[in-house]
Amino acid sequence: MEEKQHIGQLFDRIAGTYDGLNHGLSLNIDKRWRRKTVQQMVPAQHVLDVAIGTADLTIEMLRRGKAQQVTGLDLSKQMMAIGKQKVDKWALTTRQSPITDVQFVYGNAQHMPFDDASFDAVTCAYGCRNFQNLDEGLREMFRVLKPGGQVTILEFSYPSNPLVRASYDIYFTHVLPLVGRMVSHDKTAYSYLNKSVKSFCWGEAFAQHMREAGFSDTRFIPLTFGITTIYTATK
Ligand SMILES: C[S@@+](CC[C@H](N)C(=O)[O-])C[C@H]1O[C@@H](n2cnc3c(N)ncnc32)[C@H](O)[C@@H]1O
């Protein structure tokens, strides 16, 4: 099956249980990780949130005043449908205007349907490891970003402490796929997530990919024993 369809369909299948599983399996620490990520952002007018999914990062950046307008890009229409409901609900409770502030666009991060230099900032939370070609995705982020703009990426990494690493291995190899399968009723999605995390690069190796895509001033901040890492850079 073509990759574009495959990843989009995988996330379409688990969209309904994605948020609950994320928060439950991480004991809500994922909310803190997104909050920390948004803290690293320089306030920007128009932000592109690549792999927006169910819009948790977008809502956090709007809540903290780090973005005036957000365009979200994703390959899963179901994930974005849930994201749109959440944005609308958030906007209603805070009396913001979601119609003009947040746009959801169906498309592939490796071939973005946007002009060069069209965004003031680019973000991506837990999307990069799903790209079939990471370098293409990073080059696209660089292309659509305005000169001087900031990219902020949140992605899983691998803990350096041997004890934490052992628990992490057990968790990702056994607990996550089992609970994910039971709750989402999907046989393959959470085994895929496990494999995608373990086979992905992190830390300095990821920063090097960012530099090769053209970014400068690349920094990274490991969180929670290095289970996840925030990367920032500028164009
Ligand atoms: C793990 S979810 C992360 C969603 C959200 N950013 C969050 O923090 O919860 C990964 C998302 O990336 C999207 N995705 C994967 N590959 C993509 C690609 N090549 N282009 C656009 N979106 C992609 C999936 O459809 C899914 O919604």
Side-chain angles (χ1 to χ4, degrees), residues 48-172:
L48 170 67
D49 190 9
V50 177
I52 184 172
T54 57
D56 275 349
L57 192 74
T58 287
I59 292 171
E60 187 62 24
M61 65 180 98
L62 291 170
R63 185 181 282 142
R64 304 289 161 200
K66 294 293 179 101
Q68 298 306 312
Q69 188 188 352
V70 181
T71 296
L73 180 76
D74 205 287
L75 276 177
S76 165
K77 290 183 180 167
Q78 296 303 326
M79 292 284 278
M80 288 196 289
I82 291 171
K84 185 169 180 344
Q85 281 172 15
K86 284 162 63 181
V87 168
D88 287 348
K89 191 171 163 199
W90 174 81
L92 263 181
T93 50
T94 57
R95 298 201 175 83
Q96 306 278 330
S97 154
I99 297 117
T100 50
D101 290 350
V102 183
Q103 273 201 326
F104 290 82
V105 177
Y106 173 74
N108 193 336
Q110 291 160 225
H111 313 281
M112 294 190 198
F114 307 119
D115 292 338
D116 295 357
S118 36
F119 298 96
D120 301 296
V122 174
T123 57
C124 184
Y126 302 116
C128 287
R129 68 170 195 284
N130 297 293
F131 301 166
Q132 195 174 40
N133 186 321
L134 171 66
D135 295 319
E136 269 179 22
L138 291 174
R139 279 199 296 271
E140 279 292 84
M141 290 184 198
F142 186 82
R143 180 183 69 75
V144 301
L145 185 60
K146 288 182 184 167
Q150 185 198 40
V151 65
T152 309
I153 293 173
L154 177 65
E155 194 47 89
F156 282 112
S157 40
Y158 209 46
S160 46
N161 179 300
L163 264 181
V164 182
R165 191 179 269 228
S167 323
Y168 180 94
D169 277 339
I170 292 171
Y171 181 79
F172 266 92

